[in-house]
Amino acid sequence: MPSGNQTVFANRLNWARSYLSKAGLIELPRRGYCRATDRGRELLAEGVNQIDLGVLERFPEFNAWRGQQKAEQPMAQTPPPECPEEMIASTSELLNSELARQIVERVHSFSAGFFERLIVDLLVRMGYGGGRQEMGRSLGRVGDGGVDGVIKEDELGLDVVYVQAKRLDPDKGVPLREVRDFVGGLEGHRATKGVFVTTSYFPSTAYDFVTRVSKRVVLIDGGELANLMIRHRVGVRIKDTYEVKKIDEDYFVE
């Protein structure tokens, strides 16, 4: 690309992945992987030989996403050319993607105890426990009932969120039995809310399982963990800041 920060191939691939995902034709089960959804397979079965905007506009999710974009001109039938603002946004996305990969790699290289503390720090930074560090603590003891940390949502501890942290190889999914054990651990603590975090990924059966239990359980895989850390500035810091300015119409008046 003219910016020198991205190849044309990477740029077009990025657009294609984003468009197909917004239309519900592919899903991203874990970082670096794409998988056709049932809708995507049905579309291919129709014998289409090209997927362009005309095809994508058949899906309401894609149209809703496009409606939220603030582009001043309609998108072309081919991936839009990069204006300076698009170049900045595209490069920022690539930088964050690489940063997320580095975060997962770095977290995986540290001890399980560090990972447990990191998860508690992240949840507190996200506002759980009133954003107060003393409202969260790591357990990390043998026999903790499948729970690594706890966040008090009120000062008396009447409502708590229990946390399980599994530092697994990014290429190996969390076994379903681990999720089942965590839900069982919540029952042992008489808890109703739980967050299971891993540096790898969860199989689809795990997501199906947590939707059928009475406990409120959230599963956070390695990619989502890294994105949350970036968003809430846990383990990262701002390197550079760039301002994009425009004409002040209120100034230029007679």
Side-chain angles (χ1 to χ4, degrees), residues 115-124 128 135-140 144-152 160-166 182-183 185-186 189 191 193-198 216-218 220 225:
F115 184 42
E116 293 165 9
R117 293 192 299 273
L118 182 155
I119 301 308
V120 172
D121 288 345
L122 175 60
L123 292 175
V124 170
Y128 290 90
M135 299 290 278
R137 63 186 177 89
S138 293
L139 297 180
D144 60 10
V147 173
D148 294 322
V150 59
I151 301 287
K152 297 180 181 179
V160 297
V161 178
Y162 282 86
V163 182
Q164 174 76 306
K166 283 292 181 183
F182 177 57
V183 173
L186 293 179
H189 287 279
K193 301 176 184 177
V195 178
F196 196 130
V197 190
T198 182
R216 295 176 60 186
V217 177
V218 175
I220 300 177
L225 169 64

Side-chain angles (χ1 to χ4, degrees), residues 4-179:
N5 295 320
Q6 186 185 27
T7 65
V8 173
F9 177 79
N11 174 264
R12 297 300 183 252
L13 183 61
N14 227 17
W15 279 108
R17 182 186 62 180
S18 178
Y19 278 28
L20 292 170
S21 176
K22 296 301 181 183
L25 299 175
I26 64 171
E27 55 187 358
L28 311 175
R30 52 183 166 132
R31 187 162 299 280
Y33 287 78
C34 298
R35 179 170 59 204
T37 61
D38 291 340
R39 174 185 289 179
R41 295 188 187 95
E42 290 172 2
L43 180 63
L44 290 177
E46 295 177 15
V48 296
N49 55 19
Q50 179 176 326
I51 300 177
D52 55 17
L53 286 179
V55 173
L56 296 177
E57 286 172 351
R58 290 163 48 181
F59 307 105
E61 297 91 338
F62 179 79
N63 291 324
W65 172 68
R66 286 193 70 199
Q68 295 174 356
Q69 305 306 300
K70 297 181 179 180
E72 296 181 356
Q73 297 180 356
M75 296 182 182
Q77 293 296 312
T78 57
E82 293 233 315
C83 70
E85 288 86 353
E86 290 172 336
M87 290 164 57
I88 293 173
S90 181
T91 301
S92 176
E93 181 180 348
L94 285 177
L95 289 173
N96 280 340
S97 178
E98 174 60 17
L99 176 59
R101 185 195 64 78
Q102 293 176 4
I103 287 174
V104 173
E105 186 178 86
R106 183 68 63 88
V107 170
H108 182 67
S109 69
F110 276 70
S111 68
F114 177 88
F115 184 42
E116 293 165 9
R117 293 192 299 273
L118 182 155
I119 301 308
V120 172
D121 288 345
L122 175 60
L123 292 175
V124 170
R125 188 69 64 86
M126 291 172 65
Y128 290 90
R132 296 168 52 189
Q133 194 67 38
E134 62 269 23
M135 299 290 278
R137 63 186 177 89
S138 293
L139 297 180
R141 301 189 303 268
V142 176
D144 60 10
V147 173
D148 294 322
V150 59
I151 301 287
K152 297 180 181 179
E153 292 197 87
D154 60 85
E155 294 197 21
L156 297 179
L158 296 176
D159 200 5
V160 297
V161 178
Y162 282 86
V163 182
Q164 174 76 306
K166 283 292 181 183
R167 190 175 52 93
L168 301 176
D169 188 307
D171 293 325
K172 296 181 180 178
V174 178
L176 177 58
R177 66 175 181 277
E178 298 278 2
V179 180

